[in-house]
Structures are given as C-alpha cells and as structure tokens.
Amino acid sequence: MNNINVVYNEIFNSYPKVEIKEHIKKLIELDFYYPHNTTFFCITNTVNQNFEYVSKNFKICTGLSKQKMLEDGMDYFWTLFHPKDIKIWLSCLNELMTFTMNELDDEKRKRMSYTWNYRIKNAKGKYITIIQNTTPLQFDKDLKPIIGLAHYTVMDGDINMDICASAKYLNEENEYETLFYKNISSTNLLDVISHRERDVIRLLLSKKTSLDIAEGLNISKHTVDTHRRNILKKLNLSSTFELISYFKSNPKLI
C-alpha cells in the first residue's frame, strides 16, 4: 500500500488548493434522481487522495460500505484491488498523465475524458471488473487535473479483460474523438514473457505438441511442459485452449 501511495503521489503531485463545493452540490442533486443500476459515481480528489462524494449505487454494485469509502478514502479503495492489477493500473495512470501533460494544450485538457479498467473485491469476496471513466472538473495551477467526476461501470470479474487506457477529446462538434489508446496489459506482457516462452507460444499456435516443440527447440519435453505451466500462470490462464485463443486475438504480442 505504501508503494501505491508513493507512485500515485508522483503521478498526481499537484497544487493543494482546490474548490469542490459546487461540484458536490450538483452531484447530490443528480444522485437523488439517479436510478438503481450497475453503475455508480464519485467525485475524486487526487490531492487529498479521498472521495468527496460517493453515489448511492456504490453499495448496490459492490455490497461495500459507502461510509468507509468516504472516511478512509483511496487507501481503502486500493486494498480492494486485485493484486495482479495494481502494477498495470499504476502504469495506466502514468501513461495517461504523461500524455495529458506532454501532448495536450491547455484548452484540450479541459475537454478530455479518460477511461481505464481494473478488478476489485466486492463484499462477497468475489472480484468484479470496474470500467472507470473520469472527466476532470478542476485543475491545479499547471492545469493538471486534480478533481474528477468518476463514473464506474461494474462487470463480472470472470470476464477476461486486458487493462487498457484511453483519452478522448470533446471536439468542436461536441463529439468525442480518441486521442490516445493503449493496451497496458499487452505492453506489460512483453516484460513478463521470456524469449524462450515466446518460442513455445509460437509453436503452440502452430499446433505443435510438447514433443514436437522439444525437438524443434532442442530441449526436453519436461522443460517444454514447465514453460507451458509458467506461461499459463503468468498470464492468469487456465488452459492451452485459452492461451491459443488469447494470442490469436492479440497476434502482435508474439
């Protein structure tokens, strides 16, 4: 958790004076009429690392305490994250912030919307997938976004989703156009899979057996089987069928 705080602070290091009363007032009025469904929203404060407002649907979507979110802030929310998603999620935030501060002019930053995803543990101890879309409401003196309206869509955690980051700009025609998109999981994958493991994957995609792969790579069948187990573990997949399907859908990774 301390590591998350350090990295998060580096990404969102901001001028600490913020005004959010009007944003909260408007959101409370909206929340009264908002229907019960599988989405919720919050006002996020990256300076204080807390939630200035949490909508009523948070409890419905997760079974978790809205009050605890308000009292314990992002430190509590981060404890719910799937351990395998934390590093990739932080990379996601860093990519989006780097793009925002280096590639966008002052006016464009005010008309951006950002989306990313991750998994959290609900009250039943089951992981659910969250797709978060955040629109900045307020900026610091350097026009770095610090207060945001975050909208969360809840999906089944069994859905195997790569963690992706996107940034969209509301153009003059009032239409969102994508200015940035990156599959962070795929980028991270290149650092996880070794060159030998990639060789094994390529041969598996060619419908080679472990014995064929052993002969082709001049290694033992036992070593091939060990590589196959390690690959599945690293990618959080349960079978060779899932592995082949994954890389057929993401051919650029190999």
Side-chain angles (χ1 to χ4, degrees):
M1 182 57 62
N2 289 335
N3 182 55
I4 295 179
N5 279 317
V6 170
V7 177
Y8 194 88
N9 279 329
E10 289 175 352
I11 296 171
F12 289 103
N13 182 30
S14 303
Y15 188 66
K17 293 182 179 179
V18 293
E19 296 293 334
I20 57 176
K21 291 182 180 178
E22 286 304 310
H23 299 313
I24 295 177
K25 180 181 177 181
K26 292 176 183 177
L27 196 56
I28 291 174
E29 293 173 355
L30 175 63
D31 196 23
F32 179 81
Y33 298 100
Y34 203 64
H36 296 296
N37 54 32
T38 56
T39 65
F40 64 94
F41 49 87
C42 305
I43 287 184
T44 60
N45 184 328
T46 61
V47 176
N48 299 329
Q49 295 184 14
N50 65 354
F51 298 98
E52 302 292 346
Y53 186 79
V54 178
S55 74
K56 64 186 180 187
N57 276 351
F58 175 73
K59 171 78 173 176
I60 297 169
C61 292
T62 67
L64 300 167
S65 168
K66 168 183 170 179
Q67 192 60 34
K68 190 166 181 63
M69 281 277 283
L70 291 169
E71 291 176 356
D72 296 344
M74 294 180 184
D75 279 345
Y76 164 65
F77 193 54
W78 293 334
T79 66
L80 304 173
F81 275 48
H82 195 296
K84 291 184 179 181
D85 290 357
I86 292 174
K87 180 181 177 182
I88 308 175
W89 163 72
L90 286 171
S91 297
C92 184
L93 295 186
N94 188 57
E95 291 271 2
L96 288 172
M97 186 58 71
T98 299
F99 168 77
T100 296
M101 300 309 293
N102 294 335
E103 304 296 331
L104 300 178
D105 60 35
D106 293 352
E107 289 307 309
K108 275 193 173 179
R109 290 180 201 171
K110 297 176 182 178
R111 297 173 65 85
M112 296 299 297
S113 179
Y114 303 91
T115 302
W116 60 90
N117 58 287
Y118 47 86
R119 291 170 292 176
I120 67 168
K121 186 181 292 186
N122 66 15
K124 294 181 179 179
K126 180 181 179 180
Y127 283 104
I128 54 177
T129 294
I130 300 288
I131 299 176
Q132 179 175 342
N133 176 267
T134 295
T135 302
L137 298 175
Q138 190 172 323
F139 303 80
D140 68 7
K141 60 182 178 62
D142 298 317
L143 281 182
K144 177 182 284 190
I146 52 177
I147 300 294
L149 173 58
H151 183 268
Y152 306 79
T153 301
V154 180
M155 303 179 66
D156 194 316
D158 293 333
I159 298 174
N160 189 16
M161 291 182 63
D162 287 346
I163 294 180
C164 299
S166 68
K168 296 184 178 183
Y169 168 64
L170 187 63
N171 61 29
E172 299 306 319
E173 288 74 39
N174 281 327
E175 297 176 343
Y176 274 111
E177 57 180 283
T178 301
L179 300 185
F180 176 91
Y181 176 85
K182 190 169 186 178
N183 186 320
I184 308 299
S185 293
S186 297
T187 304
N188 186 70
L189 186 63
L190 299 178
D191 298 327
V192 173
I193 302 297
S194 70
H195 291 298
R196 178 57 84 190
E197 288 169 341
R198 290 188 204 181
D199 290 338
V200 172
I201 293 170
R202 291 188 188 103
L203 292 169
L204 285 172
L205 291 174
S206 300
K207 299 183 179 180
K208 301 294 185 182
T209 66
S210 289
L211 187 58
D212 293 333
I213 295 171
E215 292 175 353
L217 298 179
N218 196 27
I219 56 179
S220 71
K221 179 179 180 297
H222 173 75
T223 300
V224 173
D225 290 337
T226 299
H227 282 315
R228 292 178 65 165
R229 286 194 297 271
N230 289 340
I231 292 167
L232 293 176
K233 184 177 181 181
K234 288 180 179 181
L235 301 182
N236 195 29
L237 299 173
S238 59
S239 68
T240 300
F241 175 78
E242 287 187 9
L243 176 70
I244 292 173
S245 297
Y246 181 84
F247 281 99
K248 281 186 175 179
S249 300
N250 299 277
K252 293 182 180 180
L253 298 180
I254 295 297

